[in-house]
Amino acid sequence: MAEAISLAGKNVTAGNGGPFGAVIVRDGQIVATGYNRVTEINDPTAHAEVVAIRNACNALGTFDLSGCEIYSSCEPCPMCLGAILWARIGKLYFAADRHDAKAAGFDDELFYSEIALPAGKRLLKSEQLMQHEAIEVFNQWQNSLDKIEY
């Protein structure tokens, strides 16, 4: 955890992005690290956890990080939590929480609240189109003999 917090602090000092750092560990060894790069590379998805996951997947040559743990300087936002779950990381440790992030001016708590709402009640206006056609593609996937499951 100390390394994740250190990465967050170094990022603030360097002026590269937000105060967030993450470290992915397997079998007690650091596999990869990441820090917030949103403003550095103009990518709103370049949160510390996502960067660390991308780096770990590259280092290990896999999209499945089962057996890994992630240390984050702050409770992950919904996007990062989703990425952690999709990566199949087995355990999450975090230092600051979403309320601390809100107090520092970040939208994590708002996004958690938005996800809990039905699509029609969210701030982001949504409209469902061509559901049946999309379901047909899912059916193709389910029937494919060449798919790689994840």
Side-chain angles (χ1 to χ4, degrees):
M1 184 59 74
E3 179 65 17
I5 294 169
S6 176
L7 286 165
K10 288 176 185 174
N11 204 43
V12 171
T13 301
N16 289 333
F20 304 98
V23 176
I24 296 179
V25 173
R26 177 180 271 170
D27 299 325
Q29 299 296 315
I30 293 177
V31 173
T33 63
Y35 58 88
N36 183 285
R37 300 186 67 200
V38 171
T39 58
E40 178 187 6
I41 62 173
N42 295 317
D43 179 354
T45 68
H47 290 199
E49 298 89 346
V50 172
V51 171
I53 289 168
R54 290 173 183 164
N55 291 340
C57 288
N58 284 331
L60 297 173
T62 183
F63 58 83
D64 184 343
L65 298 179
S66 295
C68 291
E69 299 175 330
I70 188 166
Y71 294 80
S72 180
S73 64
C74 185
E75 179 181 9
C77 74
M79 175 185 69
C80 293
L81 181 59
I84 291 165
L85 292 168
W86 276 112
R88 309 296 190 230
I89 292 173
K91 187 155 187 183
L92 161 67
Y93 301 92
F94 62 90
D97 66 21
R98 68 179 89 170
H99 308 290
D100 300 320
K102 180 180 179 181
F106 293 95
D107 291 332
D108 301 49
E109 183 60 32
L110 169 66
F111 295 157
Y112 269 104
S113 298
E114 283 292 301
I115 285 175
L117 297 173
K121 302 279 187 184
R122 295 181 186 146
L123 293 173
L124 175 64
K125 301 302 176 204
S126 303
E127 182 178 344
Q128 186 172 17
L129 302 171
M130 300 180 71
Q131 180 181 14
H132 298 293
E133 291 83 352
I135 290 171
E136 180 54 37
V137 178
F138 281 134
N139 291 335
Q140 290 173 359
W141 163 258
Q142 288 177 311
N143 295 323
S144 174
L145 300 176
D146 298 326
K147 67 182 174 235
I148 298 173
E149 304 226 13
Y150 59 97

